Amino acid sequence: MNSKSSDHDREHLDLVFLYVLQALPSSEIPVVEAHISSCADCRHEIETLRPIIGSFVSWPTDVLRSPVSLWGLLAQRIAEETGEEPVLAPSQLPAKPEWEEAAPGISCKLLATDTEKNRVSMLIQLAPGTDYPPHHHAEVEELYMLHGELMIDDKKLYPGDYIRAEADSVDHRVWSESGCTCVLLTSTKDVMF
């Protein structure tokens, strides 16, 4: 979403981001698709996000959520092999990730965790005027801007910008004057100071 979009509040942005990540409950998909079909800003945002989402293909399968239809296919195959009735999918879909306040002005929504490789992907939001603590990158960190503006040391990032920090590098100052939302793929072993 671009910053000119006044009709898009935080919850609406969450729905569009989760739609692109294919993490929306099936009951919410028609409503979001109906809005996207009538909103040029949302369609543009989705096209901007496709390259970053495409990079998830190389992630280990235990990190990514499987589609809901996989349960039915698996249950049917097991039923055919055992001769028993298929086990129905749980009636309750997994709860969508919730925003958690990590520190004053900093909220995150966990998308996936790879405990074996100490990696995490999440949405991060900084409130206007918020500083993120200086930190040392234990491994490669990738950040993709979705909304707002973000300063990392002397670099200013805008929606659609991507930045990669190598292992053992340091971000001395990270802040947002206007507030921002980004996708962050990083190590769980980063050190704040």
Side-chain angles (χ1 to χ4, degrees), residues 71-89:
W71 179 279
L73 294 172
L74 183 58
Q76 186 62 39
R77 183 165 180 184
I78 291 170
E80 288 170 4
E81 290 180 10
T82 62
E84 297 179 12
E85 289 295 314
V87 177
L88 299 176

Side-chain angles (χ1 to χ4, degrees), residues 73-144:
L73 294 172
L74 183 58
Q76 186 62 39
R77 183 165 180 184
I78 291 170
E80 288 170 4
E81 290 180 10
T82 62
E84 297 179 12
E85 289 295 314
V87 177
L88 299 176
S91 59
Q92 184 179 9
L93 293 171
K96 66 181 180 180
E98 295 299 324
W99 285 99
E100 293 182 21
E101 187 173 36
I106 303 172
S107 297
C108 64
K109 183 180 278 198
L110 184 65
L111 299 175
T113 303
D114 183 345
T115 54
E116 191 174 297
K117 294 184 180 179
N118 299 314
R119 300 286 297 164
V120 65
S121 66
M122 62 183 98
L123 292 173
I124 299 285
Q125 287 186 332
L126 297 181
T130 300
D131 280 67
Y132 190 87
H135 56 280
H136 173 266
H137 300 119
E139 297 294 333
V140 169
E141 176 180 279
E142 296 177 274
L143 183 141
Y144 183 79

